[in-house]
Amino acid sequence: MRKVASSTPLLLTVDASSAEPLFRQIYQGIREGILSGRLRVGERVPSTRLLAGELGVARSTVVLAYEHLVAEGYVTAATSVGSFVADNLPDVSPLPAGVRSITPVPAGPRVVAARVREAERVSLGTPTVRRWPVPFRVGEPALDAFPTAIWETLRRRRARRRPRAMLGYGSHGGFPPLREAIATYLGASRGVRVRAEQVLLVRGAQQAIDLVARTLLDPGCDVWVEDPGYLAVRAAFLTSGARLVPVPVDEEGLDVAVGRALAPHARMAYVAPSNQFPLGVTMSLPRRLALLDWAAHAGAWVVEDDYDSDFRYAGRPITALQGLDTSQRVIYVGTFSKTLFPALRLGYLAVPPDLVDAFDRVQQLADFVSPTVEQAVVADFLSEGHFARHVRRMRALYQERQAALHDTLRRELSGLARADVHESGMHLVAWLDSDADDAAVSRAALDAKVEVPPLSLYCLERRLPPALLMGYAAVPAAQSGRAARLLRGVLERRARARA
Ligand SMILES: Cc1ncc(COP(=O)(O)O)c(C=O)c1O
């Protein structure tokens, strides 16, 4: 870099009566000269002797100022030819000549959107510690039983064959063979009536719901949400500016009559009818029909979150709400997070035909599609029968693990917590004594390295008896006893403290 001799007046003055030390005034004056562009990169700064003479200060004062400038990277260390404005300025690039300096200001408020603050307050609850593995974490599948060898074989095969097209941006809506395979699977196993063009691949159910919110909600419109209900969904609706209308869930699922009374003109209703989160109830047929009837008359959308419907252990498989809809009002959401593994980040939407373009356009605003090669591996996994086999095995395993946890609770937590057997899902709800504080128990349990979120966390307006959620899918039977004893210790200590 060419070093140029300084021809720029420093315009530096010092005030001996100021409380600011002289070296600091010099340091700030030169720094400001650099940041404002008056002193350009590579320009020589005056020698310490010269500047000290000009300013009428001791040379050691200027030396100290220069030492600070050198330490912070504004000026190069002195050599036999002098010191220069550094060419890699530390935090800002030099401004063009004539641009006003950046004057430091006191730190002000760091504003995030009010909707985000509201979403955090209402939706995210207490932070969980993402240690791994933690017994009873809710929503975690049995990663220990995932057929990794088959997966790796399919991956290697795809990687070897990878045609150039798979390295490009990919098709809107996702890898066509996977959209086909999902449409076939949904029709056969969930009664969803959908063509491949209506299936859009996204990065998990959460992104699907975020996309639904962006595409269909306007600020200020009402959305029915289940109370108690899934937290992250509420966050997606709130950050779109929607108003949450908590609708109670009972043993038949979302109470449609209450929803109608509270917000008859809501834009949307969110439900998880196959396995309501967190209570695990299945929405009854009369309620399903009532919900669809309301949506058709109100011109509202119904978001059906079918996140873990493959894990049903008793009774007849229950088909999706979407298959009952004759007015094209249902947006169906599915995910591979529970059936395969969450880190895959692959889910899908099945949308009515007239919404496909709108969803496609909105998806492109935030993201494109998931990596094509991963989608191709999932397509192979489905079409070659591995998926159906894996889901069958997991259904049997989860049923065993649920039974093991149920027994453990009876043995280890009798008198402290009780749970009913669930017909579906991946967690149990363990009810505590009516005077227990489930949030406090949950916090204490986390200290004992057991993750059991409190039911109250998922309630907006409902007041339900205290309970803890206990995921069992990822907990081998042999481990659930030890973890339950840790939880018993917590519950006994709290019961003694209450007595
Ligand atoms: C009710 C419900 N919906 C959606 C999701 C999100 O799943 P994904 O990992 O596909 O974003 C979960 C995850 O646990 C869930 O419990």
Side-chain angles (χ1 to χ4, degrees), residues 73 235 432:
L432 305 178

Side-chain angles (χ1 to χ4, degrees), residues 400-469:
E400 250 171 49
R401 287 184 173 179
Q402 189 194 121
L405 176 60
H406 193 254
D407 274 4
T408 305
L409 292 182
R410 271 212 317 254
R411 232 184 12 257
E412 304 288 351
L413 296 184
S414 101
L416 293 165
R418 87 192 147 71
D420 297 322
V421 170
H422 284 207
E423 291 190 345
S424 58
M426 296 162 71
H427 69 260
L428 288 178
V429 178
W431 301 96
L432 305 178
D433 279 350
S434 57
D435 59 345
D437 173 348
D438 59 6
V441 172
S442 170
R443 282 193 299 274
L446 201 54
D447 291 339
K449 300 192 172 41
V450 177
E451 196 175 295
V452 279
L455 180 60
S456 56
L457 176 63
Y458 304 95
C459 294
L460 278 172
E461 283 174 4
R462 291 295 288 292
R463 289 289 156 263
L464 288 169
L468 302 172
L469 271 53

Side-chain angles (χ1 to χ4, degrees), residues 16 45 51 135 168 209 229 254 266 270 273 297 310 314 322 340 342 423 496:
V45 292
L51 191 57
I209 288 158
L254 179 112
Y270 163 86
H297 286 94
D310 289 286
Q322 197 268 9
L340 296 180
E423 291 190 345
R496 275 199 297 277

Side-chain angles (χ1 to χ4, degrees), residues 41 46 309 361 478:
V41 165
S309 57
R361 279 195 300 273

Side-chain angles (χ1 to χ4, degrees), residues 291-313:
L291 181 62
L292 293 173
D293 181 66
W294 164 75
H297 286 94
W301 303 109
V302 174
V303 182
E304 175 174 22
D305 185 353
D306 212 24
Y307 67 107
D308 74 348
S309 57
D310 289 286
F311 303 124
R312 170 159 292 281
Y313 317 113

Side-chain angles (χ1 to χ4, degrees), residues 186-478:
L186 289 179
S189 67
R190 306 293 307 122
V192 172
R193 289 175 298 166
V194 73
R195 290 200 318 277
E197 308 83 80
Q198 292 164 255
V199 175
L200 306 175
L201 268 304
V202 289
R203 292 178 178 267
Q206 187 57 32
Q207 196 190 43
I209 288 158
D210 183 63
L211 196 52
V212 165
R214 286 164 191 266
T215 311
L216 301 177
L217 298 181
D218 285 308
C221 67
D222 287 342
V223 179
W224 297 4
V225 289
E226 297 170 323
D227 189 10
Y230 184 57
L231 298 178
V233 155
R234 298 175 187 166
F237 294 146
L238 284 171
T239 47
S240 282
R243 204 175 69 91
L244 301 184
V245 180
V247 179
V249 173
D250 61 20
E251 61 288 348
E252 282 193 72
L254 179 112
D255 193 332
V256 179
V258 174
R260 274 188 123 120
L262 290 172
H265 305 296
R267 173 78 59 88
M268 182 181 286
Y270 163 86
V271 278
S274 305
N275 179 38
Q276 200 274 337
F277 186 92
L279 294 177
V281 294
T282 305
M283 196 177 201
S284 69
L285 184 62
R287 288 275 176 88
R288 289 173 188 239
L289 296 174
L291 181 62
L292 293 173
D293 181 66
W294 164 75
H297 286 94
W301 303 109
V302 174
V303 182
E304 175 174 22
D305 185 353
D306 212 24
Y307 67 107
D308 74 348
S309 57
D310 289 286
F311 303 124
R312 170 159 292 281
Y313 317 113
R316 279 189 305 122
I318 296 180
T319 55
L321 190 60
Q322 197 268 9
L324 294 173
D325 175 26
T326 51
S327 309
Q328 302 281 7
R329 288 274 152 205
V330 176
I331 291 105
Y332 177 93
V333 172
T335 179
F336 290 109
S337 286
K338 314 298 171 187
T339 45
L340 296 180
F341 53 95
L344 183 62
R345 302 317 303 145
L346 202 61
Y348 44 88
L349 286 152
V351 304
D354 58 334
L355 291 184
V356 171
D357 283 350
F359 271 87
D360 186 36
R361 279 195 300 273
V362 177
Q363 183 175 24
Q364 287 175 57
L365 297 180
D367 194 6
F368 207 57
V369 284
S370 308
T372 310
V373 178
E374 295 288 329
Q375 292 184 63
V377 174
V378 177
D380 296 344
F381 202 79
L382 275 154
S383 62
E384 294 176 22
H386 304 297
F387 183 80
R389 205 168 312 122
H390 177 57
V391 167
R392 251 194 330 272
R393 280 184 53 234
M394 290 307 99
R395 204 179 288 132
L397 180 68
Y398 294 175
Q399 195 170 5
E400 250 171 49
R401 287 184 173 179
Q402 189 194 121
L405 176 60
H406 193 254
D407 274 4
T408 305
L409 292 182
R410 271 212 317 254
R411 232 184 12 257
E412 304 288 351
L413 296 184
S414 101
L416 293 165
R418 87 192 147 71
D420 297 322
V421 170
H422 284 207
E423 291 190 345
S424 58
M426 296 162 71
H427 69 260
L428 288 178
V429 178
W431 301 96
L432 305 178
D433 279 350
S434 57
D435 59 345
D437 173 348
D438 59 6
V441 172
S442 170
R443 282 193 299 274
L446 201 54
D447 291 339
K449 300 192 172 41
V450 177
E451 196 175 295
V452 279
L455 180 60
S456 56
L457 176 63
Y458 304 95
C459 294
L460 278 172
E461 283 174 4
R462 291 295 288 292
R463 289 289 156 263
L464 288 169
L468 302 172
L469 271 53
M470 302 182 75
Y472 53 77
V475 188

Side-chain angles (χ1 to χ4, degrees), residues 31 34-36 41 73-74 86-95 102:
R31 182 174 173 276
I34 293 170
L35 294 179
S36 68
V41 165
Y74 290 99
D87 41 5
N88 283 323
L89 286 174
D91 51 359
V92 276
S93 33
L95 297 172
I102 303 164

